């Protein structure tokens, strides 16, 4: 576990140094989005990777976080820093209220229920006047003369670099939480639930409670990422925040990065976000959809040729090296073939 | 009110046909096909272009659409699904999601995002009056066609060797394999039948439904919900689920406004699942 911590610190340090060398706005933009989606992936990983409850509706919490901070700022000029915290609390409450009745569903039925919940919330936001309905909210921009303090309080920056550090800070905190969680009692309980619901219950784990705890952490983190995203983009509407595409993007980068592994989301995000930004920049804009076409084809190719995620490659290399030494690795390698 | 119920039922039968296609693959292979709606979209475009360019009526295109999407389904299985089916189920699902994304944007790239309509097909624009209920002929034809196809599929599943083999594979893949069923072939056929269902639905719908590249997303989501509502793998469930959703959409849209109709559709699922955690007819 100490090894994990070291790797995380090195990873974060590298990310922190990057903005010093990179001046390109395009690359910095990709890094910010990458970190936000990696954070979302970590959040999703808690409920699906650890606890084994597949969620196709994480866009709901992402959107609620974004909307809470944006609406409070838009209507009452309340600092997004406060809005973020409130958003996380609201998302956690909604997570609990909607998950409690759905947690007794198994497998696909649960997954489709989360999808349905996200759709219900999306439809509500589309016709909700107070949050500007389908038009969406444009977050009021601070005047150019705003001081640095004001910029921090209202979380608005003209440059990309502060955003890299804000999203990196959130990501770092979340990764450490996930690492702690994975090796805590709760993490083992969640994994037990994932492996066998019945067995977990039979040894005295209160499965519903632990799944709920996982959901609270997961939805609160997603909401924080949502608030940051809203402040970064400065415009949100129900279609971009709550869509199935967002939920699936989170699933996609975590699964193809490596599900149930704390490095999975960042690896997946590091591959998919720059990829989608690159295809969008080079080919998008014409409105022909060719960028998303290529993106879709790449998703198919990666899932066909690397079904265990990118982490799978690393693991197979590690297995190969242990195989030479013989012993346990050999047995595993044999059974795998 | 009678009018609304009739409209809901007519649309419901089409939903049933689309959902039955999905429930077969989902039940047999355990993979929800997120590209399902996009197959429907392709079939509708096929009917549209046949009508625009050669002037073949969508109804005459029905067999060709069925065959074309059947082949597409088999190819999807051979090319993509067969390679991911033994891996994690989420990977297979993502592969279908990526495929859907590809097809959606391919359609947008080739044929622009514009809404297209087939206006002067054999049946379009005609209406039948029954008392004070007005029925569109295209909708009736589509609903009747759906019912016939559902009957054919049920007959096929219950009375042919292949149908029985599909059921056996759905129950237990390994045991089916031990009994000498070529499960890989069965999966390919199932995927083909799935395609045939949406192929038919696409041809039937094209004479009254707008045709546009992203229509697949809506139908994918709706059919996923219908199948889960009825119970995975249950044809009966998909049939009733489709009708329930069709009625909910029509009645809810009338009383609460059309912007709330999908909200109600998803709410119905969440409510039903509380009473029947494995869907109406799931096991």
């Amino acid at each position: 576990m100490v090894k994990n911590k070291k790797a995380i610190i090195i990873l974060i340090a590298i990310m922190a140094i990057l903005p010093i060398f990179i001046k390109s706005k395009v690359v910095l933009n990709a890094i910010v989005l990458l970190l936000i989606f990696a954070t979302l992936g970590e959040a999703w990983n808690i409920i699906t990777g650890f606890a084994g409850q597949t969620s196709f509706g994480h866009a709901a919490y992402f959107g609620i976080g974004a909307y809470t901070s944006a609406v409070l700022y838009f209507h009452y000029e309340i600092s997004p820093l406060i809005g973020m915290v409130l958003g996380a609390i609201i998302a956690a409450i909604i997570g609990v209220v909607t998950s409690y009745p759905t947690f007794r569903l198994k497998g696909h039925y649960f997954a489709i229920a989360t999808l349905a919940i996200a759709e219900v919330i999306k439809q509500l936001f589309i016709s909700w006047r107070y949050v500007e309905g389908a038009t969406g909210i444009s977050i009021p921009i601070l005047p150019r003369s705003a001081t640095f303090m004001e910029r921090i309080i209202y979380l608005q920056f003209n440059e990309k670099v502060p955003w890299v550090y804000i999203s990196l800070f959130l990501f770092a905190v979340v990764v450490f939480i996930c690492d702690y969680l994975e090796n805590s009692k709760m993490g083992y309980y969640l994994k037990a639930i994932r492996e066998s619901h019945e067995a977990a219950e039979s040894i005295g784990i209160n499965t519903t409670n632990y799944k709920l705890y996982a959901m609270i952490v997961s939805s609160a983190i997603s909401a924080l990422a949502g608030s940051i995203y809203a402040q970064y983009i400065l415009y949100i509407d129900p279609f971009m925040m709550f869509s199935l595409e967002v939920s699936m993007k989170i699933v996609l980068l975590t699964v193809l990065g490596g599900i149930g592994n704390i490095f999975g989301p960042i690896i997946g995000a590091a591959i998919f976000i720059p990829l989608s930004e690159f295809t969008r920049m080079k080919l998008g804009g014409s409105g022909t959809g060719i960028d998303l076409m290529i993106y879709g084809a790449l998703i198919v190719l990666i899932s066909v040729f690397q079904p265990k995620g990118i982490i799978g490659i690393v693991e197979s290399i590690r297995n190969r090296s242990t195989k030479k030494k013989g012993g346990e690795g050999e047995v595993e390698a044999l059974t795998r073939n | 009110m009678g009018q609304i119920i009739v409209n809901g039922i007519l649309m419901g039968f089409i939903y049933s046909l689309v959902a039955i296609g999905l429930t077969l693959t989902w039940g047999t292979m355990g993979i929800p096909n997120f590209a399902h709606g996009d197959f429907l979209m392709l079939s509708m475009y096929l009917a549209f272009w046949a009508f625009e360019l050669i002037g073949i009526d969508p109804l005459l295109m029905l067999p060709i659409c069925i065959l074309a999407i059947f082949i597409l389904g088999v190819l999807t299985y051979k090319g993509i699904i067969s390679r991911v089916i033994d891996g994690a189920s989420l990977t297979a699902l993502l592969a279908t999601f990526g495929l859907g994304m590809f097809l959606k944007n391919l359609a947008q790239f080739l044929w622009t995002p514009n809404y297209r309509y087939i206006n002067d097909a054999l049946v379009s624009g005609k209406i039948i009056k029954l008392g004070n209920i007005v029925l569109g002929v295209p909708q009736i034809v589509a609903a009747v066609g759906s019912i016939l196809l559902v009957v054919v599929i049920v007959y096929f599943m219950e009375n042919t060797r292949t149908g029985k083999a599909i059921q056996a594979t759905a129950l237990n893949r390994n045991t089916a394999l031990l009994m000498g069923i070529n499960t890989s072939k069965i999966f390919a056929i199932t995927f083909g039948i799935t395609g045939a269902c949406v192929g038919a639905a696409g041809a039937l719908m094209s004479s009254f439904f707008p045709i546009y590249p992203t229509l697949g997303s809506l139908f994918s989501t709706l059919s996923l919900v219908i199948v889960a509502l009825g119970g995975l793998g249950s044809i009966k469930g998909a049939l009733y689920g489709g009708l329930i959703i069709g009625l909910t959409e029509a009645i809810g849209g009338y009383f609460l406004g059309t912007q709330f109709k999908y909200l109600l559709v998803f709410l119905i699922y969440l409510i039903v699942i509380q009473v029947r955690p494995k869907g109406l007819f799931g096991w």
Side-chain angles (χ1 to χ4, degrees), chain B residues 109 191 270:
Chain B
F109 177 64
F191 235 93
L270 291 172

Side-chain angles (χ1 to χ4, degrees), chain B residues 147-170:
Chain B
I147 296 168
L148 288 177
L149 280 159
V150 170
V151 171
V152 169
I153 289 167
V154 171
Y155 179 84
F156 172 78
M157 292 295 285
E158 299 293 336
N159 294 304
T160 62
R161 280 183 75 87
T162 320
K164 282 180 182 161
I166 291 176
Q167 288 191 24
T169 316

Side-chain angles (χ1 to χ4, degrees), chain A residues 66-314:
Chain A
Y67 261 98
T68 311
S69 65
V71 164
L72 288 176
Y73 184 44
F74 184 76
H75 283 301
Y76 313 107
E77 295 216 343
I78 293 172
S79 156
L81 295 176
I82 300 169
M84 257 169 92
V85 178
L86 282 175
I89 294 169
I90 293 175
I93 292 171
I94 292 180
V96 168
V97 171
T98 55
S99 303
Y100 186 73
T102 43
F103 267 143
R104 61 202 193 93
L105 307 175
K106 301 272 155 58
H108 288 301
Y109 292 100
F110 176 79
I112 299 300
T114 57
L115 185 153
I117 290 166
E119 284 295 323
V120 166
I121 292 174
K122 171 174 148 193
Q123 300 291 341
L124 281 175
F125 271 78
I126 289 173
S127 36
W128 193 4
R129 278 274 180 77
Y130 181 68
V131 300
E132 304 284 307
T135 353
I137 295 177
S138 291
I139 294 165
I141 298 168
L142 286 180
R144 275 187 166 276
S145 57
T147 61
F148 189 65
M149 253 342 260
E150 275 178 322
R151 290 201 177 277
I152 289 181
I153 291 170
Y154 290 110
L155 216 60
Q156 283 192 20
F157 302 94
N158 290 331
E159 276 109 58
K160 303 271 182 205
V161 177
W163 283 114
V164 174
Y165 287 108
I166 291 171
S167 46
L168 181 63
F169 176 71
L170 179 68
F171 174 73
V173 171
V174 168
V175 166
F176 278 111
I177 291 175
C178 289
D179 185 49
Y180 172 76
L181 211 62
E182 192 183 2
N183 302 308
S184 69
K185 206 169 166 185
M186 184 172 149
Y188 287 114
Y189 282 177
L190 292 179
K191 282 179 196 166
I193 295 170
R194 176 186 71 192
E195 295 306 326
S196 168
H197 203 269
E198 286 75 19
E201 230 158 40
S202 74
I203 54 167
I205 298 172
N206 187 336
T207 53
T208 314
N209 278 2
Y210 276 95
K211 283 191 278 187
L212 278 180
Y213 299 151
M215 196 49 146
I216 290 173
V217 180
S218 179
S219 51
I221 293 171
S222 308
L224 292 176
S227 296
I228 301 257
Y229 183 77
Q231 286 297 315
Y232 178 63
I233 300 284
L234 291 173
Y235 170 76
I236 53 172
D237 73 32
F239 301 101
M240 60 186 259
M241 299 312 293
F242 293 108
S243 72
L244 181 63
E245 265 73 32
V246 174
S247 297
M248 293 308 291
K249 205 172 183 177
I250 301 170
V251 178
L252 180 81
L253 56 89
T254 315
V255 170
L256 297 185
I259 188 170
N261 185 306
I262 56 166
F263 295 106
I266 186 77
I267 293 172
I271 289 165
F272 276 96
I273 302 295
L275 200 67
S276 79
E277 286 297 302
F278 181 76
T279 48
R280 188 173 62 83
M281 273 192 22
K282 290 289 167 200
L283 303 162
S286 50
T288 52
I290 191 169
D291 54 327
L292 290 172
M293 198 175 109
I294 293 171
Y295 189 53
L298 285 171
I299 295 170
V300 175
L301 287 178
I302 294 180
S303 26
V304 166
F305 291 108
Q306 201 49 51
K308 277 185 182 165
I310 313 287
I311 281 277
I313 305 176
V314 181

